């Protein structure tokens, strides 16, 4: 199987634009500008059935058509490179390994939707990515592949880099827009969606790094080629970072629809120690899979049928020495730290969830703790302001589903909720953790 | 028009209607905590979530617009359970101090917990205690009680444009704080109290001065006089469940007498006095500009009776200091006059007189503590109570307010005209000033029907009017044919717009009235909660009713005003006036 996104990674010198051009780089852009209309591009992307690789799996072509249809101008393109999901570092390696592929994808998008300015919102920790992208932009501008009158057409396209300050929620597209505008990093109300009113209230198309990296190959090779890879409902490949108790952790690009079992035993070289217990798919906001799901195809639609999500592309594989309560305590600690604090359910709910799992870990949970946790998680999913807050429920609900018995061992059936006493209500207000 | 169903009832609503408003239309109340009428809701409290057919997640009804055929359910088990858990979460992060809280029985969270039958909170309390912010004279913030609904942030940012309050830190550690500072005193806060007026819980309120006033009343050596601002008489009734806009001047006077104040006076008296001074000041400035061709004379002239506006101007537009009238606010004129003119009249030492103000305003608490406000030789105004505090004060004394008889205020500082009444609402000071100034200049009555200048009335943010001066008397010939351009703004966000339009050269005026609070004083930060536009309009209507019911409706006709000039002040802008009734301002921008 050939790679798409990581095709050039490790093969070409990412700091040499000539090597990228030598590997058919910028050819898709040239063909598009000379021979195809913007509508053609959108149609090809639509027909390829490419879906966004950031986690939500929204059809990319459809998203572009919304931005194309927006009347206001100027329009903006933003590449979301704020890869904040713990354990996920695929975007970093794509940017470090093949920066021009992302730029070319963005330029194609700009031509398709009618935008001349683009930003890459990149997390500040990714110093090497920033360095290489900065050089790539400069080199491309020198050769007339970015900037004014690209390929001697009247299409101008400028890419700028915006460095994020390390907030998890700024990976959510509307929080990202707030951060870009210098506002507090919090999600905005939707609607209006960014395609209608995004950066500086102008139509804006936001895509993930990996999504943009798929564009040039699709334009160059055609949607039919692309659809031969992966599954029928979700064609293409997926880049995963695989980590945990496995022999060969790292980065892989595999066709959509591959199973967890294949990833562990074919790509990761098997378990490094102990017996497989569970895997978290898609970062800390991802679902927890038990061995029952080892053969489930990893792709957006199939997983949705099972009530799960593919998420960002991190696969954390754990053996049987890991306690589920312990692991969930870690997950919740992350959310307590990263919740933006805007909506009540996420702000307080994550804290309460964290405390509850700490009690479970110490086997000091209230008699009805699991019921309460389940209800809280379900309500978070239903009522939180943004997808980030809603996704806090994912690891909790899937853990309750597959590891309910183990979690129940942390419950103390005799521990009742204490009423607030008249003598000293303040005692109840002491810090629990 | 769109057809939708709410709980299986068909409703026809216009496009752009929110689910919340659509439900209201058929009498369904959806609970809210962060929503404020007329402002962009942050959608953060999640209390107003409802079920919409075909959408998995529950939708916040205050920000979700209806669409054709939408089927909405506001009261399913899913919705009720979600609201309950949200309330439980909020309560787990809230002190259990209802009995001793300023908002006991007027707290929106408490009310919802009651309505939703919250008998138990499954989540143990989680937060450590944070210190109170008691740094300013007007406002107390208790971050422990804050539920982070952000109403205060919305008004501070959207309505007032002051941007003092904002969320800081993130996640569970998020607090609403005065910018990067810990206390309001360190930050730029104009003390307008609009945040306190919208807070659903006890997190922001005025500093309680009731006990200090009791102490003064209980002290046999003190002669305690009270002044009541014009805006109180149209709002105090709301503290006793009367309809907004019920006029209760007579009952209020009776209540104040029963509370033990030695004399019940009226800020209206000094509102009339303000018109005499400020009107003369305006005419003097116009004369300097038009006759003496003095290029240094500062026009337009701005009013100075709103202390929130003064604080704002000193911090954000200190370059306007020469343009702002040097007149003290009516509250402070009253203090200075009570402790000099009136003290002499009743042969009391100024040290033995205590002046208490009843104000619709938290910034007045700040104002009376300004260094400039000691012109009588002692602190001119001792204590300020807000309308809300007065309501509590009357209840503490066990007075059956609603059934009180109407009583009259005392002379001479309780005598006033209709021009003073309308100081309470936006546009009122302008109207009152023109009623007097026009008559001084032409000898004729202001040529508007019923003395009311319609273009400067109402709740539009920025209003303007022009008045051609014709038929001037001999002394004022230089104004013959001059068109006087005036403007009125209420709410500091609107004031900012107006000032910017002048600075950019787009607009030019002679006289401008600015009130810090939306609607003017009737919408002040110390008024009974909740002040919506509907309530503002009802209070304004009441004030005009009061004005129109008066025999005397022009400040210069007030006999007590004529008397104080004859007996004491001599003439407007005279030496004594200058010392007692006028003040100076400070540039506070440098510190920002």
């Amino acid at each position: 199987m050939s790679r798409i996104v990581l095709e050039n990674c490790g093969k070409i010198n990412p700091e040499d634009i000539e090597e990228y051009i030598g590997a058919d780089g910028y050819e898709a852009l040239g063909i598009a500008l000379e021979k195809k209309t913007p509508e053609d591009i959108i149609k090809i992307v639509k027909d390829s059935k490419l879906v966004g690789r950031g986690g939500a799996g929204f059809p990319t072509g459809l998203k572009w058509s919304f931005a194309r249809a927006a009347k206001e101008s100027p329009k903006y393109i933003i590449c979301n490179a704020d890869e904040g999901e713990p354990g996920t570092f695929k975007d970093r390696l794509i940017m470090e390994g093949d920066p021009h592929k992302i730029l070319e994808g963005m330029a194609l998008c700009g031509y398709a939707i009618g935008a001349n300015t683009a930003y890459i919102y990149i997390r500040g920790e990714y110093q090497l990515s920033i360095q290489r992208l900065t050089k790539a932009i400069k080199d491309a501008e020198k050769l007339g592949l970015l900037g004014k009158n690209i390929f001697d057409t009247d299409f101008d396209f400028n890419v700028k880099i915006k460095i994020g300050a390390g907030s998890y929620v700024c990976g959510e597209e509307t929080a990202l827009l707030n951060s870009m505008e210098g506002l507090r990093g919090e999600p905005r109300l939707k609607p209006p969606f960014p395609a209608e009113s995004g950066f500086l209230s102008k139509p804006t198309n936001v895509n993930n790094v990996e999504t943009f990296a798929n564009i040039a190959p699709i334009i160059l090779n055609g949607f039919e080629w692309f659809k031969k890879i992966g599954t029928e409902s979700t064609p293409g490949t997926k880049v995963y970072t695989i980590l945990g108790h496995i022999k060969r952790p790292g980065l892989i690009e595999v066709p959509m629809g591959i199973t967890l079992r294949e990833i562990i035993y074919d790509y990761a070289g098997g378990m490094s120690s102990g017996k497989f217990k569970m895997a978290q798919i898609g970062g800390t906001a991802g679902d927890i899979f038990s061995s029952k799901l080892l053969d489930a195809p990893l792709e957006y639609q199939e997983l949705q049928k099972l009530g799960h999500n593919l998420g960002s592309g991190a696969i954390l594989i754990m053996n049987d020495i890991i306690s589920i309560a312990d692991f969930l305590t870690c997950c919740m600690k992350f959310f307590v730290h990263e919740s933006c604090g805007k909506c009540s359910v996420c702000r307080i709910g994550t804290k309460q969830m964290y405390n509850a799992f700490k009690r479970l870990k110490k086997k000091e949970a209230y008699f009805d703790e699991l019921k309460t946790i389940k209800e809280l998680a379900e309500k978070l999913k239903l009522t939180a302001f943004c997808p980030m807050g809603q996704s806090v429920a994912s690891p909790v609900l899937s853990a309750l589903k597959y590891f309910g018995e183990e979690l129940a061992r942390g419950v103390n059936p005799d521990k009742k909720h204490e009423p607030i006493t008249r003598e000293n209500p303040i005692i109840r207000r002491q810090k629990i953790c | 028009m769109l057809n939708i169903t709410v709980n299986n009832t068909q409703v026809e609503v216009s496009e752009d209607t929110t689910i919340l408003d659509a439900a209201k239309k058929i009498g369904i109340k959806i609970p809210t905590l962060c929503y404020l009428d007329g402002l962009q809701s942050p959608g953060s409290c999640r209390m107003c979530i409802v079920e919409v057919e075909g959408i998995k997640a529950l939708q916040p009804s205050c920000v979700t617009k209806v669409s054709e055929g939408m089927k909405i359910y506001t009261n399913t088990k899913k919705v009720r359970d979600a609201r309950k858990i949200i309330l439980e979460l909020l309560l787990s992060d809230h002190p259990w101090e209802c009995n001793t809280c300023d908002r006991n029985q007027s707290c929106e969270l408490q009310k919802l917990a009651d309505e939703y039958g919250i008998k138990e909170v499954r989540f143990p309390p989680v937060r450590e205690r944070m210190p109170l912010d008691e740094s300013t004279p007007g406002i107390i913030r208790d971050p422990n009680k804050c539920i982070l609904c952000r109403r205060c942030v919305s008004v501070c940012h959207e309505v007032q444009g002051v941007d003092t309050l904002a969320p800081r830190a993130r996640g569970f550690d998020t607090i609403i704080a005065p910018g990067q500072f810990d206390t309001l005193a360190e930050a730029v806060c104009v003390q307008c109290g609009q945040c306190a007026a919208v807070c659903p819980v006890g997190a922001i309120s005025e500093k309680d001065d009731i006990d200090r006033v009791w102490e003064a009343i209980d002290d046999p050596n003190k002669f305690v006089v009270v002044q009541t601002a014009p805006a109180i008489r149209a709002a105090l009734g709301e503290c006793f469940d009367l309809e907004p806009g019920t006029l209760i001047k007579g009952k209020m006077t009776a209540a104040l007498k029963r509370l033990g104040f030695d004399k019940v006076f009226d800020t209206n008296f000094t509102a009339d006095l303000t018109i005499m001074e400020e009107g003369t000041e305006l005419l003097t400035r116009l004369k300097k500009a038009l006759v003496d061709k003095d290029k240094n004379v500062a026009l337009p002239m701005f009013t100075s009776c709103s202390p929130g506006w003064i604080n704002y101007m000193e911090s954000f537009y200190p370059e306007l200091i020469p343009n702002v009238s040097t007149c003290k606010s009516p509250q402070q004129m009253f203090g200075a006059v009570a402790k000099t003119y009136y003290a002499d009249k009743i042969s009391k030492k100024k040290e033995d007189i205590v002046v208490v103000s009843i104000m619709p305003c938290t910034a007045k608490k700040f104002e009376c503590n300004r260094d400039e406000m000691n012109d009588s030789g002692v602190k001119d105004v001792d204590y300020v109570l807000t309308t809300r505090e007065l309501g509590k004060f009357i209840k503490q004394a066990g007075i059956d307010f609603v059934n009180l008889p109407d009583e009259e205020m005392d002379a001479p500082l309780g005598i006033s005209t209709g021009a003073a009444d309308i100081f309470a609402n936006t546009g009122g000071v302008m109207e009152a000033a023109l009623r007097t100034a026009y008559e001084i200049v032409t000898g004729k009555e202001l040529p508007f029907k019923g003395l009311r200048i319609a273009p400067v009335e109402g709740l539009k943010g920025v209003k303007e009017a022009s008045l051609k001066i014709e038929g001037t008397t001999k002394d004022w010939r230089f104004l013959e044919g001059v068109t006087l351009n005036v403007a009125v703004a209420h709410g500091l966000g609107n004031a900012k717009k107006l000032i910017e339009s002048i600075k950019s050269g787009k607009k030019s005026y002679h006289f401008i009235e600015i009130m810090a609070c939306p609607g003017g004083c009737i919408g002040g930060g110390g008024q009974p909660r909740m002040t919506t536009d509907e309530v503002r309009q009802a209070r304004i209507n009441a004030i005009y009713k009061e004005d129109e019911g008066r025999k005397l409706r022009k400040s210069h006709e007030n006999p007590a005003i004529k008397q104080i000039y004859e007996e004491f002040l001599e003439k407007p802008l005279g030496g004594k006036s200058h010392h007692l009734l006028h003040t100076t301002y400070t540039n506070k921008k440098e510190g920002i």
Side-chain angles (χ1 to χ4, degrees):
Chain A
M1 209 282 310
S2 63
R3 296 166 171 178
I4 301 173
V5 173
L6 302 177
E7 194 188 354
N8 298 328
C9 291
K11 288 185 194 160
I12 63 166
N13 176 359
E15 296 192 7
D16 188 348
I17 189 169
E18 298 291 346
E19 290 201 21
Y20 179 68
I21 293 168
D24 296 338
Y26 288 106
E27 205 171 316
L29 182 61
I31 292 169
L33 290 180
E34 278 158 28
K35 296 184 187 146
K36 293 191 192 309
T37 65
E39 286 78 10
D40 292 341
I41 304 293
I42 291 181
K43 188 162 188 312
I44 296 170
V45 176
K46 265 188 182 168
D47 289 343
S48 77
K49 286 179 143 182
L50 174 70
V51 297
R53 299 296 198 241
F58 192 81
T60 306
L62 190 61
K63 201 177 204 180
W64 288 16
S65 67
F66 293 150
R68 167 110 204 131
K71 297 241 157 41
E72 275 213 58
S73 65
K75 293 176 186 176
Y76 295 101
I77 287 174
I78 293 170
C79 171
N80 185 349
D82 189 49
E83 193 173 37
E85 201 59 73
T88 315
F89 47 88
K90 60 168 182 91
D91 291 344
R92 173 166 72 87
L93 293 175
I94 300 168
M95 290 186 283
E96 286 176 8
D98 200 1
H100 286 287
K101 184 169 262 168
I102 301 154
L103 297 178
E104 189 179 0
M106 291 172 73
L108 283 161
C109 176
Y111 176 63
I113 72 164
N116 304 105
T117 309
Y119 292 89
I120 302 173
Y121 185 89
I122 186 166
R123 59 183 291 183
E125 294 91 333
Y126 282 4
Q127 280 303 313
L128 187 59
S129 301
I130 295 168
Q131 219 175 310
R132 287 196 172 154
L133 277 166
T134 310
K135 184 171 190 310
I137 294 168
K138 229 184 250 168
D139 291 348
E141 279 170 354
K142 249 184 239 163
L143 297 182
L145 300 166
L146 285 180
K148 270 193 108 53
N149 301 109
I150 299 171
F151 282 99
D152 292 326
T153 64
D154 54 7
F155 177 60
D156 303 338
F157 194 70
N158 295 297
V159 182
K160 293 168 196 170
I161 288 177
K162 185 95 192 164
I163 297 168
S167 159
Y168 171 74
V169 80
C170 287
E172 193 279 333
E173 60 180 2
T174 60
L176 183 152
L177 293 171
N178 260 12
S179 167
M180 293 253 313
E181 291 180 16
L183 302 171
R184 188 177 153 87
E186 288 179 344
R188 299 179 183 177
L189 287 166
K190 285 196 270 190
F193 290 91
E196 193 189 321
S197 172
F199 182 50
L200 305 174
S201 305
K202 299 291 178 191
T204 303
N205 181 70
V206 187
N207 281 127
N208 173 259
V209 171
E210 190 185 341
T211 315
F212 278 126
N214 271 295
I215 302 298
I218 291 174
I219 302 298
L220 198 60
N221 302 311
F223 65 88
E224 271 155 357
W225 161 82
F226 187 75
K227 277 169 75 174
K228 280 184 202 140
I229 307 158
T231 64
E232 210 197 318
S233 58
T234 317
T237 61
K238 182 80 192 82
V239 181
Y240 293 111
T241 48
I242 50 175
L243 53 161
H245 296 125
I246 45 172
K247 285 196 180 127
R248 279 200 307 270
L251 188 74
I252 56 168
E253 182 178 3
V254 293
M256 279 287 181
I258 196 169
T259 64
L260 187 56
R261 189 185 300 279
E262 283 172 278
I263 286 180
I264 298 171
Y265 296 99
D266 297 353
Y267 293 89
M271 301 296 290
S272 60
S273 64
K275 214 177 119 218
F276 173 82
K277 178 175 178 178
M278 57 186 171
Q280 193 179 30
I281 312 290
T284 302
D287 289 327
I288 292 172
F289 283 22
S290 72
S291 55
K292 283 181 191 160
L293 291 169
L294 273 171
D295 295 311
L298 295 180
E299 64 110 309
Y300 294 96
Q301 292 201 359
E302 287 300 318
L303 283 183
Q304 256 162 34
K305 278 184 210 158
L306 296 168
H308 293 300
N309 252 320
L310 188 54
S312 70
I315 296 182
L316 174 62
I317 293 144
M318 288 164 273
N319 68 16
D320 50 3
I321 67 160
I322 303 293
S323 129
I324 183 76
D326 202 355
F327 178 66
L328 284 167
T329 311
C330 289
C331 292
M332 291 307 133
K333 191 174 181 183
F334 174 76
F335 288 126
V336 171
H337 186 247
E338 293 294 350
S339 163
C340 78
K342 181 168 182 165
C343 76
S344 53
V345 272
C346 176
R347 183 182 69 244
I348 312 169
T350 49
K351 183 78 169 184
Q352 289 293 0
M353 203 89 95
Y354 172 54
N355 288 347
F357 282 113
K358 273 202 301 192
R359 286 192 290 270
L360 279 164
K361 198 173 128 183
K362 288 191 209 149
K363 303 202 186 303
E364 284 172 7
Y366 292 108
F367 73 101
D368 61 349
E369 196 89 68
L370 290 188
K371 202 176 141 227
T372 310
I373 288 175
K374 184 159 186 273
E375 203 192 332
L376 179 54
E378 281 167 352
K379 294 304 179 294
L380 254 169
K381 204 172 168 181
L382 283 174
T383 64
F385 188 96
C386 78
M388 296 268 166
Q390 292 161 13
S391 69
V392 173
S394 303
V396 178
L397 290 175
S398 50
L400 284 168
K401 186 168 164 190
Y402 299 116
F403 299 97
E405 264 177 52
E406 185 187 334
L407 284 169
R409 274 177 243 144
V411 171
N412 176 357
D414 298 326
K415 192 172 168 186
K416 304 274 188 292
H417 295 278
E418 314 141 46
I420 296 147
T421 59
R422 191 162 58 180
E423 288 74 34
N424 199 356
I426 298 301
I427 283 182
R428 299 263 298 171
R429 293 182 47 70
Q430 278 172 354
K431 204 176 178 187
I432 298 265
C433 38
Chain B
M1 293 302 270
L2 300 171
N3 287 297
I4 58 163
T5 68
V6 183
N7 301 346
N8 299 320
T9 307
Q10 285 266 350
V11 205
E12 202 186 40
V13 290
S14 58
E15 279 172 54
D16 262 8
T17 306
T18 60
I19 296 178
L20 183 73
D21 288 336
K24 206 184 276 170
K25 216 178 152 186
I26 55 163
I28 293 170
K29 194 188 134 214
I30 296 173
T32 55
L33 283 171
C34 67
Y35 170 79
L36 277 178
D37 199 24
L39 295 187
Q40 172 61 57
S41 170
S44 58
C45 76
R46 315 310 281 170
M47 265 314 284
C48 71
I49 36 113
V50 294
E51 213 174 327
V52 176
E53 201 173 278
I55 304 178
K56 239 194 254 170
L58 299 173
Q59 299 298 303
S61 61
C62 68
V63 289
T64 308
K65 301 269 167 72
V66 296
S67 56
E68 180 59 36
M70 201 182 237
K71 288 195 169 72
I72 299 153
Y73 301 93
T74 67
N75 196 24
T76 58
K77 179 166 167 42
K78 207 172 170 186
V79 169
R80 285 196 311 269
D81 286 352
R83 287 187 190 150
K84 265 191 164 172
I85 221 161
I86 292 166
L87 283 169
E88 282 183 71
L89 286 172
L90 287 171
L91 289 168
S92 78
D93 189 23
H94 194 72
W96 304 69
E97 298 168 357
C98 297
N99 288 338
T100 50
C101 178
D102 182 57
R103 296 300 295 277
N104 190 15
Q105 297 184 60
S106 70
C107 167
E108 294 180 40
L109 181 64
Q110 192 186 40
K111 194 160 164 258
L112 285 177
D114 177 42
E115 281 174 12
Y116 278 79
I118 308 290
K119 302 284 182 216
E120 182 193 45
V121 173
R122 283 169 284 177
F123 310 106
V126 271
R127 195 183 289 278
E128 280 187 293
R129 189 160 279 274
M130 289 174 275
L132 301 191
D133 176 4
E134 300 179 278
S135 63
T136 57
I139 290 165
I140 290 193
R141 293 191 314 117
D142 183 350
N144 301 293
K145 291 175 183 161
C146 178
I147 56 168
L148 285 107
C149 69
R150 302 194 182 184
R151 280 187 190 175
C152 56
V153 179
S154 297
V155 288
C156 198
H157 170 73
E158 266 187 70
V159 180
Q160 298 299 65
V162 179
D163 269 329
T164 305
L165 293 173
R168 188 207 293 172
R170 68 182 184 197
F172 188 72
D173 296 327
T174 311
I175 51 165
I176 304 299
Q180 72 269 44
F181 303 105
D182 291 328
T183 62
L184 282 174
E186 295 166 272
V188 175
C189 166
V190 301
Q191 299 276 294
C192 68
Q194 285 298 313
C195 50
V198 296
C199 183
V201 294
I204 311 183
S205 44
E206 63 273 47
K207 206 174 253 182
D208 190 333
D209 286 312
I210 295 176
D211 285 346
R212 294 206 263 172
V213 176
W214 271 130
E215 215 175 288
I217 289 176
D218 290 340
D219 186 342
N221 300 319
K222 298 285 183 197
F223 191 82
V224 189
V225 302
V226 63
Q227 57 164 325
T228 61
I232 316 295
R233 60 209 64 183
L236 180 65
E238 291 162 47
C239 296
F240 303 94
D241 298 327
L242 296 174
E243 281 296 307
T246 310
L247 282 170
I248 43 72
K249 186 181 168 191
K251 288 186 195 302
M252 174 180 73
T253 309
L256 290 168
K257 287 186 175 168
R258 280 155 185 70
L259 280 168
F261 288 104
D262 293 301
K263 288 287 171 191
V264 178
F265 289 142
D266 208 344
T267 314
N268 276 22
F269 170 78
T270 35
D272 279 334
L273 193 57
T274 302
I275 291 300
M276 299 307 293
E277 294 289 325
E278 199 166 298
T280 313
E281 187 184 358
L282 175 67
L283 292 172
T284 310
R285 286 191 194 212
L286 288 173
K287 185 168 187 225
K288 276 188 191 156
L290 297 170
V291 180
D292 311 339
K293 307 282 177 208
D294 182 350
K295 288 210 174 78
N296 294 323
V297 64
L299 282 171
M301 189 175 94
F302 287 81
T303 58
S304 59
C305 26
S306 165
W309 150 241
I310 294 300
N311 287 343
Y312 180 79
M313 181 274 301
E314 289 179 321
S315 293
F316 292 90
Y317 293 103
E319 64 274 22
L320 291 179
I321 287 177
N323 292 64
V324 177
S325 162
T326 58
C327 287
K328 283 182 186 172
S329 71
Q331 153 168 291
Q332 292 306 136
M333 283 195 185
F334 183 94
V337 167
K339 291 195 178 179
T340 53
Y341 171 64
Y342 183 68
D344 290 347
K345 259 186 179 312
I346 57 165
S347 311
K348 290 263 180 201
K349 282 194 282 184
K350 57 190 172 228
E351 288 80 4
D352 292 335
I353 294 183
V354 175
V355 174
V356 177
S357 307
I358 312 297
M359 292 286 145
C361 181
T362 48
K364 289 284 177 195
K365 288 184 188 254
F366 174 89
E367 187 188 39
C368 81
N369 284 302
R370 285 179 73 119
D371 293 340
E372 300 91 345
M373 301 304 171
N374 294 290
D375 288 334
S376 65
V378 290
K379 199 177 165 202
D380 296 336
V381 172
D382 297 275
Y383 308 115
V384 175
L385 300 182
T386 62
T387 318
R388 295 191 293 263
E389 283 174 282
L390 178 60
K392 283 190 181 176
F393 198 15
I394 293 170
K395 286 176 189 166
Q396 272 179 28
I399 295 168
D400 179 11
F401 183 83
V402 178
N403 294 314
L404 284 174
D406 285 350
E407 288 180 17
E408 290 289 322
M409 289 190 182
D410 295 309
L413 306 187
I415 297 170
S416 64
T417 72
D421 288 321
I422 57 175
F423 264 61
N425 50 259
T426 170
V429 178
M430 178 61 69
E431 265 184 342
L434 292 181
R435 283 181 192 178
T436 290
Y438 191 85
E439 207 161 311
I440 290 177
V441 171
T442 65
K444 287 184 299 250
E445 210 169 60
L446 187 69
F448 282 90
K449 196 180 167 215
L451 294 176
R452 291 182 54 179
I453 309 170
V456 300
E457 291 179 10
L459 289 172
K460 203 176 142 218
V462 177
K463 297 166 283 189
E464 43 187 12
S466 297
L467 174 65
K468 193 165 181 186
I469 302 174
E470 281 168 323
T472 45
T473 57
K474 201 173 113 231
D475 291 347
W476 302 97
R477 271 294 126 76
F478 66 94
L479 283 172
E480 185 64 34
V482 168
T483 300
L484 197 65
N485 295 316
V486 300
V488 171
H490 58 116
L492 292 170
N494 292 322
K496 186 178 182 175
K497 273 184 221 154
L498 177 60
I499 293 168
E500 290 301 327
S501 76
I502 297 165
K503 288 183 93 167
S504 67
K506 272 188 212 143
K507 296 279 184 183
S508 102
Y509 305 99
H510 297 103
F511 188 33
I512 293 170
E513 175 207 294
I514 290 183
M515 299 279 182
C517 294
C521 306
I522 51 95
Q527 292 282 58
R529 302 180 179 100
M530 282 289 292
T531 303
T532 59
D533 269 354
E534 214 177 304
V535 172
R536 284 186 189 97
Q537 195 56 55
R539 292 178 189 159
I540 290 174
N541 295 346
I543 290 290
Y544 277 111
K545 204 173 132 200
E546 179 85 3
D547 164 40
E548 287 177 345
R550 295 253 209 173
K551 265 193 213 123
L552 301 178
R553 296 181 61 208
K554 294 170 239 163
S555 298
H556 58 276
E557 289 175 347
N558 183 339
I561 293 291
K562 288 180 191 162
Q563 194 188 356
I564 194 177
Y565 278 113
E566 277 161 21
E567 291 177 1
F568 183 67
L569 293 168
E570 290 165 15
K571 61 171 188 177
L573 303 187
K576 264 205 185 113
S577 288
H578 184 77
H579 173 61
L580 290 175
L581 308 182
H582 291 257
T583 186
T584 54
Y585 308 110
T586 316
N587 180 349
K588 293 181 189 159
K589 197 174 186 178
E590 278 154 20
I592 298 176

